[in-house]
Amino acid sequence: MRTQDPKTIYLSEYQQPAFWVEHVNLTVSLFDGYTEVSSELTLKKNPDVASRELVLNGIDQDIQSLQLDDKQLSSADYHYADGVLTLNCDSEQLIFRAVTRIDPQNNTSLEGLYQSGSMYCTQCEAEGFRKITFYPDRPDVMATFTTRIEADAGQFPILLSNGNPVDSGALEGGRHYAVWEDPFPKPSYLFALVAGDLSSKDDRFTTRSGRDVTLRIFVEPQNAHKVDFALDSLKKAMQWDEEVYGREYDLDLFMIVASDFFNMGAMENKGLNIFNSAAVLASPDTSNDQRFERIEGIVAHEYFHNWSGNRVTCRDWFQLSLKEGFTVFRDTEFSSDTHDRAVKRIETVAGLRAVQFPEDNGPMAHPVRPDSYIEINNFYTATVYEKGAEVVRMIHTLVGPDDFRRGSDLYFERFDGQAVTTDDFVACMEQVSGLDLTQFKRWYTQAGTPRLSVTDDYDADSQTYRLFFHQSCPATPGQTDKRPFVIPVKLGLLGADGNDLPIHTRGNYNAGTEVLTLTDEVTEVVFTGVSERPVPSLLRDFSAPVKWSFGYSDEQLAFLAANDANGFNRWDALQQLYSRAILSMAEDHRAGRSLTPPSVLVETVANVAGDASLSHAIRASMLTLPGYAILKDAVDVVYIDDLIAARKHLVKTLATRYRDIWRSLTEKLSSDAPYEFNAEESGRRQLQGLSLWYWLKAGDQAAFDFAAELYASATNQTDRSNALRAVLAGDAEALQQSLLSDFYERWQSDTQMVEQWLTMQAGTPGMTVPGIETLMQHPAFDIKNPNKVRSVIVGFAMNTESFHDARGEGYALLAKVVQQLNALNPQLAARLVTLLSDWKRYDADRGKMMASALETILATDSLSSNVFEMAQRALKD
Ligand SMILES: [Zn+2]
């Protein structure tokens, strides 16, 4: 809790610690009412630092005894305030021992050791270990750990920690113990401990060099049937990392534990990953395709961290993107290789534009490698993760796949067992490729999304085509002047027949796609031998995370959507066409004019819907309109009512004009085949779900009947939730109520299904603040459970039409929930604050109401530093 204005930490002030830790002996004894932690740290003086001050972090520690070598310490021997214990030590080698008591049963922050349902588990990233015992809790201190856990044998038969099990046995009084040894030096944020009554399922994987690894997933017994998919995903990920990066697993045992109470998606603790149940438990009956895909990606992500994060870790938390940007890039590539690359790229970019671009365009903007923070938990952001991954992707584009692999080999080899920086990563890529990436590194240090405006000129006589690129980057908090970025532009030039023209530039010849590297504010590129005026296809595969513009006519965008050889750019051209139409109709709505979508767009939609040469998944992506997050980010002032009216009008037009198309697609795409999760089948279900949604929007009774029947006869959750979502988006209230009650009746004992049930209701058009308050009173809701809070509160905030209610009741409700969570779970509370952070972009009335909700939050008694930092950043000019 905050007692005064919290302290800001600066990257420029980084210093190595005066003492390193070589080994940790930890004993954690769980008792009802308290937990006793005995730790023994073997410390060694860091010869590179003059100071002799041993600095240990420790929060909520009830000290029983402290000892330095053989000397018991009294409070006169050390200084302990604000979570930091300091003492001076003369020797070069020393042993520090601490016995403390902690209270995991009342730890609702879900950091450190806490109770999740009937089990105990830990979350130590970023700074949770200091809630377990005194420790130099910073990622550059890497030590080997021996962990002994003691607990009641009946209540907690399973006792787990990192590494390999080395001993176990019975103790007096019905208690027992287990000892785990982790031979790999690791930072404290990767420490993990679990105690519970869990069932497990095993599988095996033999690594390329012949190491036999046991894979084991622990879950509560009622979820035992939901682990097979995660085990399969894990094996696929292990094999992919061997093939693509040459990385093998290094312990004999790899464990995953599912926890119902978890702030994040999952955590890559060495050898003992702990997952949010929602990110690991899957069955066709309770998980839809999107959930399967998400689980596969997260299992892979956490596994990949074993190298990119654990073996080579971050020197300090400013380097968070070193492990996260690289690992998100790795898991995205894994998914692309496993399924459909173009579809994955579309999903990734749609997500980036909906979340990261708005973050970069508001008060929360920060560089991929931030310069300062108050609370590091507030920097687990889309910028560090998703933009960080785009930065790694651009390096991959610039150096090429072969040098990228050589660079990553060098990185893993050179820094194995060390804590390093993003500069170290880039230096490896420079060394193997011979490229100078000095200017490129501005992507790590400059915040904001660069703008790239492109114009062209064609001279028929000389058959010369010119493209002019002009880049700029808006000011962001604390950064007014931006210098030019290195921007890789992958492009093609389409001839009138829709095919790529050959590209001649700077003496190079290319049959289709070319990658240009822009380094200056203004760049002119000359293409020779261009036989006709082309339509440029720019930023293919979204080769750089920029906002780019070219003065296309609607017809040219429709042409690209129909012809571009690059699947991603076909989608992107249509997205531009949708956005342009919606934004212009929003202006018409504001001016009281009638709304008419451009006919070229309306016709293109019919062509895409009927284009059997496109995969189902690509068609579904192309027929999905940009969401409000993306539309809001494209205007200077958000008049939300006009945006909503315009987008709804376009949906209604497409739904009614093509009701026969939607009906026929919906019916044709039905299948009795048993459920299988693969690109082909999930694409079919996605297109069917979308067609049904449009068909229902046309208001046909036959569509409601179809949806009710699909819901009733569904043998998997994808079909069931497609039907339910379509019905909830329509206006048949009786049917909605009957399906929702049926859903709850049938699935109330399944945690993941109840979460989906809550999310669907919170997202229903027409949901109201009293409706949300009623939902929060439902026995299925629990404010201490982050998944439930996200389902209802974040679900509601994403429900643009309801959340932005003109009286501001949605904002006031959010402020109330943040105040309540501030004391229980500051990390989660701070995340909710970001839902109001774009207040300045709205019209004056709404902006004022959102700002006043933020001011209410800022005035909360005992405000945590987490929430304080976010609210004051959001309000700051
Ligand atoms: Zn990660």
Side-chain angles (χ1 to χ4, degrees):
M1 289 301 135
R2 192 164 66 93
T3 47
Q4 59 227 354
D5 266 6
K7 196 169 157 244
T8 301
I9 320 271
Y10 295 94
L11 168 61
S12 56
E13 291 175 358
Y14 171 81
Q15 281 184 327
Q16 286 190 358
F19 291 87
W20 299 114
V21 182
E22 293 191 311
H23 185 71
V24 184
N25 266 317
L26 201 63
T27 300
V28 179
S29 303
L30 306 173
F31 294 97
D32 195 21
Y34 71 96
T35 290
E36 190 160 280
V37 182
S38 311
S39 72
E40 180 188 273
L41 313 182
T42 308
L43 297 147
K44 190 181 160 189
K45 180 76 183 71
N46 177 358
D48 298 335
V49 173
S51 162
R52 305 213 60 97
E53 193 171 63
L54 173 62
V55 179
L56 303 169
N57 307 96
I59 291 179
D60 300 334
Q61 298 292 313
D62 177 3
I63 298 174
Q64 305 294 303
S65 77
L66 299 178
Q67 196 183 330
L68 192 60
D69 291 326
D70 296 330
K71 186 187 174 213
Q72 281 292 336
L73 301 177
S74 72
S75 55
D77 298 319
Y78 58 84
H79 180 254
Y80 180 36
D82 298 326
V84 181
L85 186 144
T86 47
L87 60 162
N88 280 307
C89 305
D90 292 331
S91 39
E92 300 305 298
Q93 292 272 358
L94 48 124
I95 293 187
F96 175 83
R97 292 186 183 85
V99 179
T100 62
R101 287 186 178 181
I102 55 176
D103 184 10
Q105 285 159 306
N106 288 308
N107 178 1
T108 56
S109 72
L110 313 188
E111 296 169 336
L113 179 67
Y114 63 92
Q115 219 172 0
S116 169
S118 61
M119 69 186 227
Y120 283 87
C121 72
T122 53
Q123 169 58 33
C124 292
E125 187 177 0
E127 297 177 336
F129 196 68
R130 62 189 62 184
K131 292 187 165 185
I132 296 175
T133 188
F134 285 106
Y135 199 78
D137 192 12
R138 43 188 289 169
D140 56 351
V141 173
M142 299 175 83
T144 52
F145 277 69
T146 305
T147 305
R148 178 185 166 102
I149 312 160
E150 299 181 2
D152 182 83
Q155 229 182 325
F156 305 105
I158 303 289
L159 304 174
L160 311 172
S161 190
N162 314 83
N164 297 311
V166 291
D167 191 14
S168 62
L171 296 167
E172 281 175 16
R175 290 170 66 79
H176 72 148
Y177 73 94
V179 181
W180 292 78
E181 214 164 69
D182 185 356
F184 291 96
K186 67 167 178 289
S188 49
Y189 81 87
L190 290 172
F191 174 81
L193 180 155
V194 170
D197 185 0
L198 303 166
S199 71
S200 67
K201 181 152 183 185
D202 277 13
D203 206 334
R204 307 202 76 74
F205 182 85
T206 306
T207 68
R208 208 166 46 166
S209 67
R211 175 191 284 273
D212 200 17
V213 183
T214 300
L215 315 176
R216 185 169 292 158
I217 299 193
F218 291 91
V219 293
E220 291 186 40
Q222 73 271 19
N223 292 320
H225 63 292
K226 289 190 180 185
V227 302
D228 291 346
F229 181 72
L231 278 169
D232 281 346
S233 303
L234 177 58
K235 284 187 289 182
K236 275 189 202 158
M238 293 176 89
Q239 190 171 349
W240 186 90
D241 212 19
E242 291 187 351
E243 285 166 7
V244 179
Y245 281 87
R247 298 295 117 197
E248 279 189 36
Y249 187 61
D250 49 13
L251 290 164
D252 301 329
L253 178 60
F254 185 89
M255 298 176 284
I256 291 177
V257 178
S259 161
D260 281 347
F261 287 71
F262 209 72
N263 274 337
M264 307 262 194
M267 180 60 210
E268 70 263 23
N269 317 299
K270 182 78 187 187
L272 177 57
N273 286 191
I274 299 179
F275 272 59
N276 189 323
S277 298
V280 63
L281 300 176
S283 80
D285 213 21
T286 58
S287 317
N288 62 16
D289 291 332
Q290 286 90 335
R291 185 59 63 95
F292 272 95
E293 190 184 326
R294 178 161 176 261
I295 288 171
E296 186 182 65
I298 297 183
V299 168
H301 177 98
E302 306 308 334
Y303 173 72
F304 296 155
H305 268 316
N306 190 52
W307 277 96
S308 50
N310 300 4
R311 291 282 290 253
V312 183
T313 195
C314 304
R315 187 194 73 174
D316 53 73
W317 289 121
F318 298 100
Q319 319 295 331
L320 181 55
S321 197
L322 174 76
K323 74 178 179 77
E324 295 306 341
F326 187 23
T327 305
V328 171
F329 172 71
R330 275 150 58 69
D331 82 59
T332 308
E333 283 298 295
F334 165 72
S335 300
S336 303
D337 285 347
T338 310
H339 301 290
D340 180 317
R341 182 163 286 272
V343 171
K344 181 67 189 175
R345 191 64 186 140
I346 288 169
E347 283 171 8
T348 303
V349 174
L352 190 78
R353 285 179 174 156
V355 184
Q356 199 279 323
F357 279 17
E359 184 169 275
D360 242 352
N361 193 19
M364 301 299 179
H366 57 275
V368 169
R369 192 192 67 193
D371 300 313
S372 68
Y373 60 77
I374 291 175
E375 189 44 76
I376 186 57
N377 284 323
N378 288 334
F379 282 85
Y380 284 72
T381 59
T383 298
V384 167
Y385 278 65
E386 274 73 33
K387 187 177 181 179
E390 292 297 317
V391 172
V392 175
R393 178 174 301 280
M394 286 188 286
I395 295 177
H396 186 274
T397 303
L398 291 170
V399 305
D402 295 341
D403 276 349
F404 189 86
R405 169 63 197 271
R406 288 172 52 219
S408 73
D409 283 352
L410 176 63
Y411 169 73
F412 289 129
E413 184 190 331
R414 180 179 287 171
F415 298 118
D416 191 7
Q418 297 181 43
V420 301
T421 65
T422 53
D423 286 340
D424 293 322
F425 177 80
V426 176
C428 291
M429 295 297 167
E430 286 183 308
Q431 186 177 325
V432 297
S433 68
L435 285 180
D436 178 353
L437 295 172
T438 311
Q439 185 189 345
F440 179 84
K441 287 200 282 188
R442 287 178 193 158
W443 282 106
Y444 286 102
T445 54
Q446 295 190 146
T449 307
R451 310 294 197 258
L452 188 62
S453 98
V454 191
T455 52
D456 71 344
D457 178 56
Y458 180 64
D459 182 57
D461 294 340
S462 62
Q463 301 213 330
T464 304
Y465 182 65
R466 286 185 163 78
L467 283 172
F468 306 92
F469 297 88
H470 181 263
Q471 63 158 302
S472 61
C473 184
T476 49
Q479 290 188 337
T480 42
D481 294 321
K482 307 292 169 93
R483 296 161 75 200
F485 290 85
V486 175
I487 301 178
V489 175
K490 193 169 166 184
L491 59 80
L493 304 176
L494 274 71
D497 63 358
N499 292 319
D500 276 345
L501 298 170
I503 292 181
H504 307 258
T505 168
R506 295 169 305 180
N508 292 327
Y509 169 78
N510 221 310
T513 294
E514 157 95 25
V515 181
L516 309 171
T517 305
L518 312 180
T519 54
D520 299 322
E521 201 180 322
V522 178
T523 310
E524 177 187 340
V525 183
V526 182
F527 302 85
T528 51
V530 183
S531 54
E532 55 178 303
R533 183 177 192 115
V535 177
S537 164
L538 299 167
L539 279 292
R540 282 185 163 172
D541 294 321
F542 205 58
S543 57
V546 301
K547 288 182 178 171
W548 63 276
S549 62
F550 179 85
Y552 291 118
S553 64
D554 285 359
E555 286 70 22
Q556 283 177 318
L557 286 173
F559 174 77
L560 287 170
N563 294 295
D564 202 317
N566 189 264
F568 175 85
N569 273 28
R570 285 184 75 167
W571 170 82
D572 204 21
L574 190 48
Q575 292 295 303
Q576 289 185 51
L577 205 45
Y578 287 131
S579 287
R580 192 184 278 191
I582 294 168
L583 298 177
S584 125
M585 287 195 295
E587 279 177 31
D588 289 339
H589 187 263
R590 187 155 181 72
R593 294 186 289 263
S594 67
L595 308 186
T596 316
S599 54
V600 62
L601 168 61
V602 176
E603 283 154 24
T604 302
V605 166
N607 294 339
V608 171
D611 188 344
S613 74
L614 294 169
S615 75
H616 292 141
I618 288 277
R619 264 199 277 175
S621 310
M622 291 182 79
L623 295 170
T624 301
L625 268 47
Y628 289 112
I630 289 174
L631 295 168
K632 286 191 298 192
D633 199 42
V635 294
D636 294 330
V637 181
V638 178
Y639 293 100
I640 196 71
D641 301 319
D642 301 310
L643 265 188
I644 291 170
R647 192 176 185 278
K648 278 175 124 168
H649 183 78
L650 182 56
V651 169
K652 191 79 185 167
T653 306
L654 298 175
T656 47
R657 176 117 15 130
Y658 300 131
R659 67 176 76 217
D660 295 339
I661 294 182
W662 308 126
R663 177 180 190 148
S664 114
L665 271 177
T666 306
E667 289 171 350
K668 212 167 65 188
L669 290 166
S670 290
S671 163
D672 297 334
Y675 179 87
E676 246 187 289
F677 173 70
N678 57 43
E680 179 60 37
E681 276 292 282
S682 69
R684 177 185 64 73
R685 286 184 289 264
Q686 195 190 348
L687 185 56
Q688 190 193 34
L690 184 72
S691 304
L692 175 60
W693 181 85
Y694 269 118
W695 184 21
L696 260 153
K697 287 279 183 192
D700 283 12
Q701 184 54 45
F704 286 99
D705 296 344
F706 188 98
E709 170 58 24
L710 181 64
Y711 174 87
S713 64
T715 57
N716 63 74
Q717 173 61 1
T718 310
D719 287 342
R720 191 180 297 120
S721 64
N722 279 348
L724 195 47
R725 251 171 240 285
V727 169
L728 290 177
D731 37 33
E733 212 187 313
L735 181 60
Q736 291 176 355
Q737 286 317 318
S738 90
L739 297 193
L740 280 171
S741 343
D742 176 80
F743 193 98
Y744 187 72
E745 279 304 307
R746 281 167 68 182
W747 302 104
Q748 55 183 301
S749 63
D750 186 294
T751 309
Q752 282 79 50
M753 289 296 264
V754 170
E755 286 165 12
Q756 293 176 61
W757 179 77
L758 292 169
T759 308
M760 279 190 281
Q761 289 182 83
T764 306
M767 179 45 93
T768 58
V769 166
I772 292 295
E773 282 167 338
T774 307
L775 213 48
M776 289 174 73
Q777 298 302 320
H778 194 281
F781 184 79
D782 177 1
I783 190 123
K784 288 183 183 164
N785 185 317
N787 285 3
K788 301 280 174 66
V789 173
R790 279 187 283 257
S791 295
V792 176
I793 303 302
V794 180
F796 183 55
M798 296 293 111
N799 182 347
T800 303
E801 294 170 27
S802 300
F803 180 62
H804 292 284
D805 149 88
R807 285 155 303 176
E809 287 182 4
Y811 314 142
L813 172 77
L814 185 62
K816 219 163 77 186
V817 174
V818 169
Q819 288 183 315
Q820 206 179 342
L821 277 169
N822 172 61
L824 292 171
N825 186 337
Q827 193 181 330
L828 180 61
R831 291 203 158 237
L832 298 184
V833 174
T834 60
L835 298 167
L836 293 166
S837 65
D838 59 351
W839 64 276
K840 255 185 229 163
R841 313 208 59 253
Y842 287 80
D843 64 274
D845 288 347
R846 282 208 174 72
K848 227 168 95 188
M849 292 187 289
M850 293 169 88
S852 117
L854 285 165
E855 273 152 14
T856 308
I857 290 169
L858 208 49
T860 308
D861 286 343
S862 311
L863 194 62
S864 62
S865 56
N866 307 56
V867 176
F868 169 80
E869 180 178 29
M870 295 309 256
Q872 62 103 34
R873 266 167 76 199
L875 281 168
K876 209 155 135 186
D877 271 313

